[in-house]
Amino acid sequence: MMHTYTYLFCDLVTDAVLAELPLSEVRYSTELNGIGKLAAFVPYNDDTIPLDPDTATRPCRTALYVDRDGVIVWGGIVWTRDDRTATGRSIQAAEFLSYYQQRTVKTTLATDTSLITDTDYVPDGQRLYPDQRYLVWSLLRYAAVQPYGDIGIGVGYLASEPGTGINRVAAYYGYERPAIYDAIAALAAADDGCDFGVEVYWTQPANNDPPARVKRARVWFPRRGRQSAAESGLVFSNGGPEPSILDYRWPENGTALATEVSALGAGTGEARLTSTAQATALLSAGYPLLESVTTYSDVLEQSRIDGLARADVAARSQADVQPTFEVMADADPAFGSYTVGDVALFVIEPDQKTPIGRQQELRILSIETAATAGAERVTLTCGAV
């Protein structure tokens, strides 16, 4: 099936359309609690040069939206581009979350009022809301109210949703200039953490107004996506009359696995905060003691370092398996019917690589798509549920 792709290049701050340009060699990805990338080639020819592609693709100034059949499937910021050649130039972009890698906390923000001088809540003061959803809102709102710091990512939706019921003790010291993205990612990685991202979509036309582009921050709790194959109805298989899996890799890497994690927090010497957590199920099943150490120098509370240790060992006890599947975009399940965070059933019929076959429920962690003129192919990177 042929699909229509439209690539809109817009001013990053105002979102005004700069140009609609054709692209080739397009690959784009979406990551769970991470930052998807896009790489493409902008052709320079008689049709595109009048559109001023040099201005329309300027790094740090340009937002790029990928529209597939009238649905925005990717949005982000052009960060780099290669030298111009006789036929065009390559560009590289990253999802809108990448903006917060370039934004820092410059004034101390904390949930503990003893650490701050202005106890009004952010953005008027320095106090953070403790619930992790509103803590994310606090950080993003702080970023948006700084002079020249608003690129139109909506954060109001976070404040309108109910809290997660998980309160955090957090402090971000201005003299350390912590990156806002790193602070949010640490919240997601913690025990009972949340998932986060920036959604992009068209509004529905109403009152004779045309659709408008929207980019808004989201927090999902307890997790993003549908949490079982029974709930999602997603089954990918390399067998049957219409297989959806074209190829797969199901490697197992024991070097990434840990059955015990020690998390180190703030402090020095014997006074340093520490916490140790074990994967008791694996140890009981016969795995040996495999130790790993993680460091969180900005964590000041024992309860938080305890939670990080538990979250780390949970992640590392499942880190030995991260299969990838190349699937057809138009086979069932079709591209667009699933998202990162969804759990699906993957069925491998007996073949040379897997003589006895295999099937397992896995969570989709990354979706990478090649936007080609022919049949599209999608690469899914998955992890344990």
Side-chain angles (χ1 to χ4, degrees):
M1 181 184 299
M2 297 295 293
H3 296 278
T4 300
Y5 272 93
T6 302
Y7 305 100
L8 293 175
F9 292 82
C10 304
D11 182 274
L12 179 59
V13 175
T14 67
D15 210 45
V17 175
L18 301 173
E20 178 183 322
L21 296 171
L23 298 178
S24 61
E25 303 171 25
V26 180
R27 296 191 72 88
Y28 61 93
S29 66
T30 301
E31 308 286 341
L32 179 66
N33 297 337
I35 298 171
K37 305 293 193 299
L38 177 144
F41 185 79
V42 184
Y44 282 42
N45 52 42
D46 291 344
D47 293 328
T48 61
I49 289 178
L51 301 175
D52 193 6
D54 275 348
T55 298
T57 63
R58 187 179 300 166
C60 305
R61 289 289 308 277
T62 307
L64 170 58
Y65 298 91
V66 179
D67 180 295
R68 178 183 184 265
D69 297 336
V71 176
I72 297 178
V73 293
W74 194 91
I77 301 170
V78 177
W79 287 111
T80 63
R81 60 185 180 185
D82 298 342
D83 290 338
R84 178 175 172 175
T85 68
T87 57
R89 67 196 312 173
S90 296
I91 61 170
Q92 298 80 35
E95 289 182 303
F96 284 113
L97 276 177
S98 62
Y99 177 64
Y100 299 106
Q101 292 180 309
Q102 309 296 322
R103 297 297 309 279
T104 63
V105 176
K106 295 181 288 188
T107 301
T108 296
L109 306 176
T111 54
D112 183 350
T113 56
S114 69
L115 300 175
I116 54 180
T117 57
D118 187 340
T119 58
D120 286 343
Y121 283 103
V122 171
D124 299 316
Q126 298 172 259
R127 189 177 179 183
L128 297 170
Y129 291 92
D131 185 277
Q132 59 185 345
R133 184 188 304 279
Y134 305 140
L135 213 166
V136 173
W137 175 88
S138 297
L139 291 167
L140 298 182
R141 187 77 177 106
Y142 168 85
V145 300
Q146 304 304 308
Y148 312 107
D150 188 355
I151 62 168
I153 295 177
V155 300
Y157 188 76
L158 294 175
S160 67
E161 289 190 305
T164 65
I166 305 297
N167 288 346
R168 302 294 185 190
V169 177
Y172 307 103
Y173 297 99
Y175 58 82
E176 292 182 344
R177 295 296 196 269
I180 289 173
Y181 172 81
D182 292 343
I184 296 173
L187 291 172
D191 193 28
D192 289 325
C194 52
D195 291 334
F196 67 101
V198 174
E199 291 183 324
V200 287
Y201 58 92
W202 291 110
T203 61
Q204 294 297 316
N207 300 322
N208 296 320
D209 293 328
R213 292 176 299 279
V214 174
K215 47 185 184 287
R216 69 173 183 179
R218 287 292 310 275
V219 164
W220 293 267
F221 182 81
R223 299 206 303 181
R224 180 178 184 176
R226 295 163 287 184
Q227 299 309 300
S228 69
E231 180 184 353
S232 69
L234 299 171
V235 179
F236 296 89
S237 174
N238 67 342
E242 295 183 0
S244 53
I245 299 175
L246 299 172
D247 196 9
Y248 70 94
R249 294 181 66 251
W250 208 314
E252 296 174 313
N253 180 7
T255 64
L257 187 142
T259 55
E260 180 180 285
V261 172
S262 294
L264 308 181
T268 58
E270 295 298 326
R272 186 166 195 175
L273 282 180
T274 63
S275 184
T276 301
Q278 290 187 331
T280 54
L282 291 183
L283 292 168
S284 299
Y287 281 84
L289 182 64
L290 301 169
E291 297 173 293
S292 178
V293 178
T294 54
T295 302
Y296 303 94
S297 299
D298 60 335
V299 175
L300 304 173
E301 302 81 25
Q302 186 65 48
S303 61
R304 189 175 171 204
I305 204 70
D306 290 342
L308 287 167
R310 291 192 297 268
D312 288 340
V313 79
R316 292 297 299 272
S317 65
Q318 300 172 339
D320 60 327
V321 177
Q322 196 170 81
T324 59
F325 303 90
E326 186 178 8
V327 302
M328 291 292 294
D330 292 319
D332 185 29
F335 178 68
S337 67
Y338 49 85
T339 184
V340 290
D342 278 340
V343 173
L345 177 65
F346 291 82
V347 180
I348 302 300
E349 299 292 338
D351 61 12
Q352 186 175 8
K353 289 193 288 186
T354 312
I356 62 173
R358 185 171 187 172
Q359 68 177 45
Q360 186 174 340
E361 286 195 8
L362 298 166
R363 194 176 189 207
I364 300 173
L365 305 179
S366 170
I367 302 172
E368 181 180 14
T369 308
T372 61
E376 295 173 287
R377 295 190 178 190
V378 179
T379 301
L380 307 178
T381 301
C382 301
V385 176

